Amino acid sequence: MRILAKDIPQAAREKPEEEVMVQGWVHRVRELGGVAFVILRDRSGLLQVVLDRNPDLTPETVIEARGLPALNEKAPGGAELKARSVTCVSKPAGELPYQVNGDPDRIGLEAILDHRSLSLRNPKIRAIFKVQATIIESFSAYLREQDFTEIKTSKLVGSGTEGGTELFEVSYFNRKVYLAQSPQLYKQTLVASGLERVFEIAPAYRAEKHDTPRHLNEYVSMDVEMGFIQSERELMDLERGLLARIFQDVSRKNAAELALYKTEAPSEQEALNAPAVPYDEALKIASEAAGASGGGRIFDINPEAERLLCAWSRKEYGTDLVFVTEFPRRHRPFYTYPLDAARTMSFDALFRGLEITTGGRRQHDYAALLEAVSKFGLNPESLAGYLAVFKYGCPPHGGFAVGCERLTQKLLGLGSVKEASLFPRDRKRVEP
Amino acid sequence: MRILAKDIPQAAREKPEEEVMVQGWVHRVRELGGVAFVILRDRSGLLQVVLDRNPDLTPETVIEARGLPALNEKAPGGAELKARSVTCVSKPAGELPYQVNGDPDRIGLEAILDHRSLSLRNPKIRAIFKVQATIIESFSAYLREQDFTEIKTSKLVGSGTEGGTELFEVSYFNRKVYLAQSPQLYKQTLVASGLERVFEIAPAYRAEKHDTPRHLNEYVSMDVEMGFIQSERELMDLERGLLARIFQDVSRKNAAELALYKTEAPSEQEALNAPAVPYDEALKIASEAAGASGGGRIFDINPEAERLLCAWSRKEYGTDLVFVTEFPRRHRPFYTYPLDAARTMSFDALFRGLEITTGGRRQHDYAALLEAVSKFGLNPESLAGYLAVFKYGCPPHGGFAVGCERLTQKLLGLGSVKEASLFPRDRKRVEP
């Protein structure tokens, strides 16, 4: 029976006379005075395998080794395998395009993405997706505890809710459909259907032409929708609790991964203390900060404002998370619930200088929605499918979405959101 | 503070003098001797709200009621709310297209799917998705416990692994890409990358023209891939354990939902006892069963064979789950690992008369894959991206996928798989 690298120290302490078998990749080979040290890498970590002859193994060969576990202070993890036999399971068929062990910065993003089966063997690169898996698990677990139901909705839609300049078109039998930009209509439908509280983790699509470190054309949207709320404040409280849980779980489960990035997740308290700043005030804060460093006035919550507001929040409230609230009506879709004639019950969450969430209360009243549609100059006929959801009794509700890759990026301090996507899609990249 | 319908009995026992507030939909209204009984429905269930006057409420109106909780043996759940006030929150804007309370069979599938915000208010219809949420949660939890990492891969692919007659085409900026039929290439990439054990729950697409009760053009694929296996038997063992867990969790968490369908989930032992029948023998068994009831010989594991094999498994092994193994090479893709010249290390899982899983060990050896590609008459250049994954050391591995909607359908005995999809897509349906 195979045992994992991480379990060798225990085996060495408890049953040093019992032969064990390990399997994994050759991470590194070193010879020293007639003895060969093969560092084997499996999903649990690294293990030193000691051989009394040169095994003639090139890096990244998959091997199986049998032998006795032995304590050795100098070996990684404090133990090693004294090998009796090493078998080659799978040999690289050609020269590696780059060295797996190197510093990710020196491999470069394009090469990392071109060769995922290779680049993810680098522990630092793999760490990103161990953290991402925790984020997804914690998100789901927290919401289930709050009585949310996980849903799976269609990603093929007849049309976009808000018309469609940023939609990808799909040939669907004899007609055209589009890749969904968000599951929002479906979330709302399911709140109205009596599920009341729903969440979904699924791909979402934006046909934006930007190619920047903050954009992906396909991303994992972690969506939430909740009925019987009074305002967006309940949604922000939910997100504070949700992020507090995610931060806690990442700190607890991914200490090793965080250490590789020399970073820490925020504390639970930081998430819970995140301030909420109305839009106008946020612009003022950002403009003052920009002015203090010689910049001009800021007229929008743009990337610069996002950075400045997070710096402000860190300084004033000791947290990397800040909500901007009360966005003007002209900046939000027609279905956003009005606070007054000019402002809406909506918010963004900014984390470490980047917007990770957009959310808000939605209009649930059928007559008011019809009015908003006409006020925004939209065509009620093309929105008939959307409007029908609110026709037969719908509670006040709202929701938000957290960008999974952006949250991963910012938790680890990655330069580009593309690093936080296993197989990112941008204007140029559709492979692998 | 709002309390849920299901918590009223406890409130009535413990704090009958304390006013509570409930929110939900009007399920039914009845008047009797000057007293009105409003049955309120929220996400937790039904509650009788008693009023001393006619509240003039039509079904499906969203209301808020305040009053005192009181025990009453005759009320559903053994308690009711003696209302002091009832407020209307949201009124239906028109006549309902059908009665929510009715028997789903009388509403009809098309009407159910056309009006999801209405049809899911029917407790029996909503039950389907409570069970589905449990399936998804259990699947993930079980695999995490077995050290699998959850992954999120792209659904936009440059081309299909096996050429593309059943692919949906997407206009992606200035080029054509396709909706992924399965995450298989990505799962294999990530096994090879050293994650070793991965799972994903995500949409998958098949541009099949069939419109049958067993087909969806977009479905939720619950995918698993695992490194360092010797044969498909380890995969079947994993699936037995996985289904055993899912069946247990559904029995435990969804007793009420199962009761609405007058059915039970199989026992843990049934899943663990599922037999494995080699392909040739499976055809013999199915042919004999078909012959016994006057039918002809069976030459393929077709829908009739699936039903007959499950009936056989129930009779001989007392379980609704059966694996068919050792599929002929000609019936499986080029990358399936050969058992011998004619047969492969592959399997299907059949459950209650329907195929719910296809899986198998894959070829991990680069040279052997190149050979298989040429033997199958495929073009190695168009498969270069696939082949590259195996070039730099890849362990023996394999995997399988469980169709989430099919498993849901069969657990509840639904007539069509479309009933088990919130927003199903077929040749004719892309709305809502």
Side-chain angles (χ1 to χ4, degrees):
Chain A
M1 261 282 277
R2 177 190 188 198
I3 81 167
L4 293 174
K6 74 169 167 57
D7 297 325
I8 290 291
Q10 195 187 348
R13 278 192 305 274
E14 292 175 8
K15 296 182 176 175
E17 71 300 333
E18 199 167 286
E19 183 175 285
V20 295
M21 185 264 279
V22 294
Q23 295 173 314
W25 287 258
V26 173
H27 193 63
R28 210 182 292 126
V29 185
R30 201 161 46 97
E31 265 199 275
L32 206 73
V35 178
F37 298 89
V38 177
I39 304 297
L40 174 136
R41 188 185 65 241
D42 68 16
R43 71 177 189 272
S44 75
L46 300 175
L47 170 70
Q48 178 163 294
V49 176
V50 189
L51 275 166
D52 56 6
R53 62 197 152 69
N54 183 341
D56 189 25
L57 290 170
T58 56
E60 300 315 315
T61 303
V62 178
I63 59 168
E64 185 173 303
R66 288 167 194 275
L68 296 179
L71 294 172
N72 175 359
E73 269 181 16
K74 289 179 202 156
E80 64 190 8
L81 187 79
K82 304 258 183 229
R84 289 170 176 167
S85 75
V86 170
T87 322
C88 168
V89 176
S90 172
K91 242 183 158 60
E95 215 171 309
L96 306 182
Y98 49 79
Q99 236 203 314
V100 167
N101 300 336
D103 176 355
D105 289 341
R106 295 182 59 183
I107 303 174
L109 185 55
E110 293 306 309
I112 285 174
L113 300 179
D114 283 343
H115 304 279
R116 271 299 191 202
S117 75
L118 214 53
S119 59
L120 288 164
R121 298 181 192 183
N122 184 302
K124 193 168 173 185
I125 298 175
R126 185 159 73 234
I128 300 169
F129 300 97
K130 300 303 285 185
V131 169
Q132 189 162 85
T134 302
I135 291 174
I136 291 170
E137 180 182 359
S138 293
F139 180 91
S140 311
Y142 184 81
L143 290 171
R144 285 194 194 105
E145 287 164 19
Q146 312 286 323
D147 211 12
F148 282 74
T149 301
E150 185 163 7
I151 55 170
K152 294 290 175 186
T153 69
S154 178
K155 305 304 148 201
L156 300 177
V157 295
S159 64
T161 307
E162 294 148 68
T165 54
E166 291 180 342
L167 294 169
F168 290 115
E169 191 182 277
V170 181
S171 300
Y172 191 81
F173 299 111
N174 298 322
R175 54 180 293 182
K176 300 287 177 202
V177 299
Y178 303 91
L179 292 179
Q181 290 179 302
S182 107
Q184 195 189 316
L185 168 58
Y186 296 133
K187 290 192 298 178
Q188 294 188 266
T189 302
L190 296 170
V191 166
S193 81
L195 283 175
E196 292 188 25
R197 299 177 166 207
V198 295
F199 75 94
E200 178 167 21
I201 302 172
Y205 298 87
R206 300 281 161 101
E208 293 173 341
K209 286 181 182 167
H210 318 293
D211 189 4
T212 80
R214 49 188 279 146
H215 287 99
L216 288 168
N217 292 107
E218 178 185 42
Y219 68 99
V220 176
S221 185
M222 305 199 296
D223 266 277
V224 179
E225 197 82 13
M226 185 176 177
F228 296 104
I229 61 165
Q230 311 230 317
S231 83
E232 77 285 9
R233 278 190 290 277
E234 287 148 275
L235 301 171
M236 294 192 291
D237 280 344
L238 179 66
E239 185 166 0
R240 285 185 184 98
L242 185 55
L243 290 174
R245 169 66 169 270
I246 290 173
F247 295 159
Q248 262 185 307
D249 285 350
V250 168
S251 296
R252 190 166 51 81
K253 295 185 185 174
N254 298 109
E257 286 78 15
L258 291 168
L260 287 173
Y261 285 89
K262 299 185 173 58
T263 189
E264 283 178 10
S267 68
E268 190 187 357
Q269 213 48 50
E270 277 185 64
L272 299 177
N273 290 349
V277 188
Y279 182 85
D280 290 339
E281 201 186 318
L283 287 187
K284 211 180 293 169
I285 291 166
S287 293
E288 273 168 23
S293 57
R297 202 176 139 196
I298 285 179
F299 296 94
D300 199 358
I301 306 298
N302 57 23
E304 191 192 351
E306 293 174 11
R307 280 188 298 272
L308 294 168
L309 284 162
C310 286
W312 169 85
S313 170
R314 157 88 2 232
K315 196 165 148 242
E316 298 293 325
Y317 292 87
T319 170
D320 290 333
L321 182 71
V322 53
F323 292 94
V324 179
T325 62
E326 301 180 6
F327 277 77
R329 273 201 100 169
R330 66 179 184 284
H331 285 345
R332 293 291 187 173
F334 72 92
Y335 51 72
T336 314
Y337 202 90
L339 176 64
D340 53 32
R343 298 174 299 167
T344 58
M345 287 191 173
S346 65
F347 66 96
D348 275 4
L350 315 179
F351 176 56
R352 294 185 174 172
L354 185 69
E355 181 236 300
I356 56 163
T357 288
T358 293
R361 184 176 164 189
R362 337 283 189 189
Q363 184 56 266
H364 67 287
D365 183 78
Y366 185 68
L369 257 176
L370 282 180
E371 213 175 283
V373 165
S374 101
K375 207 178 245 165
F376 274 70
L378 299 167
N379 177 0
E381 269 166 53
S382 71
L383 289 164
Y386 183 81
L387 296 169
V389 172
F390 309 95
K391 222 169 164 176
Y392 306 115
C394 178
H397 67 282
F400 59 86
V402 180
C404 180
E405 293 89 349
R406 285 189 170 190
L407 180 56
T408 310
Q409 176 194 1
K410 285 294 152 181
L411 266 175
L412 293 175
L414 307 176
S416 168
V417 71
K418 290 177 197 176
E419 293 178 62
S421 172
L422 281 168
F423 302 98
R425 293 292 174 256
D426 60 31
R427 252 184 105 175
K428 284 168 254 155
R429 181 177 289 280
V430 295
E431 305 268 6
Chain B
M1 262 279 278
R2 178 191 188 196
I3 79 167
L4 294 174
K6 73 169 167 58
D7 297 325
I8 290 291
Q10 194 188 349
R13 277 192 306 272
E14 293 174 7
K15 296 181 173 175
E17 72 298 333
E18 199 168 285
E19 183 175 284
V20 296
M21 186 265 279
V22 294
Q23 296 173 313
W25 288 258
V26 173
H27 194 62
R28 209 181 295 123
V29 186
R30 200 160 46 97
E31 266 198 276
L32 207 74
V35 179
F37 298 89
V38 177
I39 303 298
L40 174 135
R41 188 186 64 241
D42 68 17
R43 70 178 189 273
S44 75
L46 300 175
L47 170 69
Q48 178 163 294
V49 176
V50 189
L51 276 166
D52 57 4
R53 62 196 153 69
N54 184 341
D56 190 24
L57 290 169
T58 56
E60 300 313 315
T61 303
V62 178
I63 60 168
E64 185 174 305
R66 289 167 195 275
L68 296 179
L71 294 171
N72 176 358
E73 270 181 14
K74 288 179 201 158
E80 63 189 10
L81 186 80
K82 304 259 183 226
R84 286 168 176 166
S85 74
V86 170
T87 322
C88 168
V89 176
S90 172
K91 243 184 158 60
E95 215 170 309
L96 306 182
Y98 49 81
Q99 236 202 314
V100 166
N101 299 335
D103 175 356
D105 290 340
R106 294 182 60 183
I107 302 175
L109 185 55
E110 292 306 310
I112 285 174
L113 300 178
D114 284 343
H115 304 279
R116 270 299 191 200
S117 74
L118 213 54
S119 59
L120 288 164
R121 298 182 191 182
N122 183 302
K124 192 169 171 183
I125 297 176
R126 185 159 72 234
I128 300 169
F129 300 98
K130 300 303 283 184
V131 169
Q132 189 162 85
T134 302
I135 290 174
I136 291 171
E137 179 181 0
S138 294
F139 180 90
S140 311
Y142 184 82
L143 290 170
R144 285 193 195 106
E145 287 164 20
Q146 313 285 323
D147 211 12
F148 282 74
T149 301
E150 184 164 7
I151 55 170
K152 292 291 175 186
T153 68
S154 178
K155 304 304 148 202
L156 299 177
V157 295
S159 62
T161 306
E162 295 147 71
T165 53
E166 290 180 343
L167 294 168
F168 289 115
E169 191 184 276
V170 181
S171 300
Y172 190 81
F173 300 112
N174 297 324
R175 56 179 292 185
K176 300 287 176 201
V177 299
Y178 302 91
L179 292 179
Q181 289 178 303
S182 109
Q184 195 189 313
L185 168 58
Y186 296 133
K187 289 192 297 177
Q188 294 189 264
T189 302
L190 297 169
V191 166
S193 81
L195 283 174
E196 292 188 25
R197 298 177 167 207
V198 295
F199 75 94
E200 178 167 22
I201 302 172
Y205 298 88
R206 302 279 160 101
E208 293 173 341
K209 287 180 180 168
H210 318 294
D211 188 4
T212 79
R214 48 189 281 148
H215 288 98
L216 288 168
N217 292 107
E218 178 185 42
Y219 68 99
V220 176
S221 185
M222 305 199 298
D223 265 276
V224 179
E225 197 82 12
M226 185 177 177
F228 296 104
I229 61 164
Q230 311 230 320
S231 83
E232 77 285 8
R233 278 190 290 277
E234 288 149 274
L235 300 171
M236 293 191 292
D237 279 344
L238 178 67
E239 184 166 2
R240 285 186 183 98
L242 184 55
L243 289 174
R245 169 66 168 271
I246 291 172
F247 295 159
Q248 262 186 307
D249 286 350
V250 168
S251 296
R252 192 167 48 83
K253 294 185 185 173
N254 298 109
E257 286 78 14
L258 291 168
L260 286 174
Y261 284 89
K262 299 186 175 55
T263 189
E264 282 178 12
S267 68
E268 192 187 357
Q269 213 47 52
E270 277 185 64
L272 298 177
N273 290 348
V277 189
Y279 182 85
D280 289 339
E281 200 185 320
L283 287 187
K284 211 180 293 170
I285 291 166
S287 293
E288 273 169 24
S293 57
R297 205 175 137 196
I298 285 180
F299 296 93
D300 199 358
I301 306 298
N302 57 23
E304 191 192 352
E306 293 173 11
R307 280 189 298 274
L308 294 168
L309 284 162
C310 286
W312 169 85
S313 170
R314 157 81 14 226
K315 199 168 146 239
E316 298 293 325
Y317 291 86
T319 170
D320 290 333
L321 182 71
V322 53
F323 292 94
V324 178
T325 63
E326 302 181 5
F327 276 77
R329 273 200 102 170
R330 66 178 184 284
H331 285 346
R332 293 292 187 173
F334 71 92
Y335 50 72
T336 313
Y337 202 88
L339 175 64
D340 54 30
R343 298 173 300 166
T344 58
M345 287 190 172
S346 64
F347 65 96
D348 276 4
L350 315 179
F351 176 55
R352 294 184 174 173
L354 185 69
E355 180 236 301
I356 57 163
T357 288
T358 293
R361 185 176 163 190
R362 336 284 188 189
Q363 183 57 268
H364 67 288
D365 184 77
Y366 185 66
L369 258 176
L370 284 180
E371 213 175 283
V373 165
S374 100
K375 207 177 248 168
F376 274 70
L378 299 167
N379 178 1
E381 270 167 51
S382 71
L383 290 164
Y386 183 81
L387 297 169
V389 173
F390 309 95
K391 220 169 166 175
Y392 306 117
C394 178
H397 66 281
F400 59 86
V402 180
C404 180
E405 293 89 348
R406 283 189 171 191
L407 180 55
T408 311
Q409 176 194 358
K410 285 294 151 179
L411 267 174
L412 293 174
L414 306 175
S416 168
V417 70
K418 291 177 196 176
E419 292 177 63
S421 172
L422 281 168
F423 302 99
R425 294 292 175 255
D426 61 30
R427 254 184 103 176
K428 284 167 254 156
R429 180 178 291 279
V430 294
E431 305 267 8

